[in-house]
Amino acid sequence: MEIETITDNQKLRSAKKIKKMFGHVDYRDPPEMCPIRHIMSLATDKWSILIILNLGFFPILRFNRLKRYIYGISSKVLSERLKVLEMDGYISRTMYPEVPIRVEYQLTEFGHSYLQRVLEMAEWSEKYSGQIMANREKYQKGLG
Amino acid sequence: MEIETITDNQKLRSAKKIKKMFGHVDYRDPPEMCPIRHIMSLATDKWSILIILNLGFFPILRFNRLKRYIYGISSKVLSERLKVLEMDGYISRTMYPEVPIRVEYQLTEFGHSYLQRVLEMAEWSEKYSGQIMANREKYQKGLG
DNA sequence: CGGCATCCGAGTAGATACTG
DNA sequence: CAGTATCTACTCGGATGCCG
């Protein structure tokens, strides 16, 4: 498997980007709250990513369908994650006070923007999943 | 703040990508292990991301420097994460049996490839951190 | 149907101390 | 210096049951 080649130039550019993002942070006197840390930790956990991906595929989803598609998640955790994602503006929640009640979730425009990033990450993961498994096996053998 | 505009066409393309990735998965009879879930959950946690970013900035880092830069992490957790990242091939670990011992960590080529994705995610988070905070405040007010 | 309240267990993180 | 060992504390997730 060929790995995407990163040139030295590209590495330099990456370093510059990182400097731009974190250059102001003094690790000896760290800020109370780092927005980037905070935001990423709230939306990159595995369940949130799966929620985003499912809503990227099905434009509108109700609670229990979402729960079925994201197999393995509990109601509690799903509703927690949905609330956070709604709060931060990734998804919208529309309640129709019918009987039985109907609640629909969908990505906001902001959520669609985030979906692009999640997709890039997911595509990368898929592309190199074989590579990673191979790396892991090699590592295990090196120990044995 | 302007949000990146996602066209309907782009949304369709996203849906297609997702279908390509997960279309084969039957949620009524889910696979034991989903590689994408697995891989993403192992490398998107907040500490791993910070390790990757720091090694993207400082090409070579020793354990204690890394620990200082990633303020807030404990030795235990850092060494655990480093081991996983090494195992999966993101970073390399070189030990020099001097006294005192010296161990150097750096990104592999594979890790540099991953860094690109992490950077995209981090830049997005930074760009929209204000937006997210605003979303959150608005949400809180809606409740009160 | 779409949740929320409660309880409980496992796993994880943190603090501290220690070692080659 | 670069971890490991141990113990504790606590968070998180899962299961269950209930309600509008």
Side-chain angles (χ1 to χ4, degrees), chain A residues 26-79:
Chain A
D26 180 2
Y27 64 89
R28 285 160 304 187
D29 179 25
E32 277 295 306
M33 205 270 268
C34 169
I36 301 186
R37 280 193 184 197
H38 182 61
I39 289 167
M40 294 189 70
S41 71
L42 277 185
T44 64
D45 69 279
K46 66 171 181 169
W47 295 129
S48 298
I49 284 178
L50 291 172
I51 291 170
I52 300 283
L53 286 174
N54 271 280
L55 286 175
F57 187 63
F58 304 97
I60 295 180
L61 277 177
R62 299 172 63 175
F63 188 87
N64 278 326
R65 280 178 79 85
L66 197 46
K67 189 182 167 194
R68 275 196 298 277
Y69 293 150
I70 307 175
Y71 54 89
I73 195 171
S74 70
S75 296
K76 180 190 169 191
V77 174
L78 178 55
S79 76

Side-chain angles (χ1 to χ4, degrees), chain B residues 122-135:
Chain B
E123 286 188 294
W124 188 92
S125 296
E126 188 191 32
K127 184 173 174 191
Y128 293 115
S129 60
Q131 175 74 38
I132 287 177
M133 296 302 173
N135 288 341

Side-chain angles (χ1 to χ4, degrees), chain A residues 3-18 21 40 117 120-121 124 128, chain B residues 49 52-53 55-57 90 107-124:
Chain A
I3 301 176
E4 168 191 19
T5 308
I6 311 289
T7 63
D8 286 351
N9 220 310
Q10 207 163 350
K11 289 178 190 174
L12 260 174
R13 264 191 315 224
S14 297
K16 275 191 189 166
K17 286 184 188 175
I18 297 169
M21 268 188 279
M40 294 189 70
R117 304 292 93 69
E120 284 159 8
M121 192 72 104
W124 188 92
Y128 293 115
Chain B
I49 284 178
I52 300 284
L53 286 174
L55 287 174
F57 187 62
Y90 297 102
L107 291 181
T108 58
E109 284 305 303
F110 189 60
H112 272 287
S113 167
Y114 183 59
L115 172 63
Q116 304 304 311
R117 303 294 94 69
V118 171
L119 265 178
E120 285 160 6
M121 192 72 104
E123 286 188 294
W124 188 92

Side-chain angles (χ1 to χ4, degrees), chain A residues 117-131:
Chain A
R117 304 292 93 69
V118 171
L119 265 178
E120 284 159 8
M121 192 72 104
E123 287 188 296
W124 188 92
S125 297
E126 187 190 34
K127 185 172 173 190
Y128 293 115
S129 60
Q131 176 73 40

